[in-house]
Amino acid sequence: MPSASLDTPIGPLTVDARDGKIFRVRWVDDPSGEITPELQAAVDQLRVYFAGELETFDLPLHVDGSDLQRAVCDAMYAIPLGETRTYGDLAAELGVPAQAIGGACGGNPIPVIIPCHRILGASTLGGFSGMGGVETKVWLLRHEKAAGLLI
């Protein structure tokens, strides 16, 4: 499986591709295989994102998982940079319980690119399954100038 890594302010990230699509981002430095065009595009776009100059990722993505997992990832991917939603917002949009949204956010296989960090609790930050936990979520939200309550 081809993968490419880069150092970021939130730790090393490795992007994995399969069949011409990005299917996973991991918090490790673990590149392997040849760098494919989609991996190069992902690394380039992540660098621009962390430099504060990218608002929208434009990459071929594939989310492994249930229909609900894919629907939640699609809904998160549609949230513009600098904006947030609550678990309840997504639950109402998709017609499922908020707890199901939380589980799907925690199972997001492509964090940062699919911005699960933009999902907040009604009165809390909610969780974050990436390396560094909620501190990383706060860093990403500040980086995006989102959720003025955090600044």
Side-chain angles (χ1 to χ4, degrees):
M1 160 183 59
S3 59
S5 297
L6 71 154
D7 289 322
T8 76
I10 58 171
L13 294 179
T14 294
V15 181
D16 299 322
R18 181 175 57 217
D19 299 326
K21 296 183 179 182
I22 305 303
F23 79 97
R24 186 170 57 189
V25 172
R26 301 176 285 140
W27 263 270
V28 296
D29 184 5
D30 186 27
S32 66
E34 301 234 358
I35 295 190
T36 61
E38 66 276 3
L39 286 171
Q40 188 62 58
V43 167
D44 291 346
Q45 288 183 35
L46 282 163
R47 282 193 179 111
V48 174
Y49 167 80
F50 284 109
E53 300 170 3
L54 181 78
E55 292 192 16
T56 305
F57 287 97
D58 182 22
L59 298 165
L61 304 176
H62 175 76
V63 174
D64 284 330
S66 67
D67 290 344
L68 176 63
Q69 181 72 60
R70 287 190 296 279
V72 170
C73 285
D74 287 346
M76 291 186 296
Y77 190 71
I79 300 168
L81 184 111
E83 295 184 22
T84 60
R85 302 287 186 275
T86 66
Y87 297 104
D89 293 335
L90 287 187
E93 179 182 329
L94 298 175
V96 298
Q99 294 84 356
I101 300 297
C105 287
N108 175 13
I110 313 173
V112 182
I113 294 170
I114 296 178
C116 52
H117 58 277
R118 295 180 191 158
I119 308 302
L120 308 174
S123 60
T124 68
L125 288 172
F128 189 70
S129 60
M131 187 172 85
V134 173
E135 289 181 16
T136 299
K137 183 174 191 168
V138 169
W139 190 96
L140 290 164
L141 291 170
R142 284 185 174 153
H143 175 68
E144 296 179 358
K145 298 173 180 54
L149 66 142
L150 300 174
I151 308 300

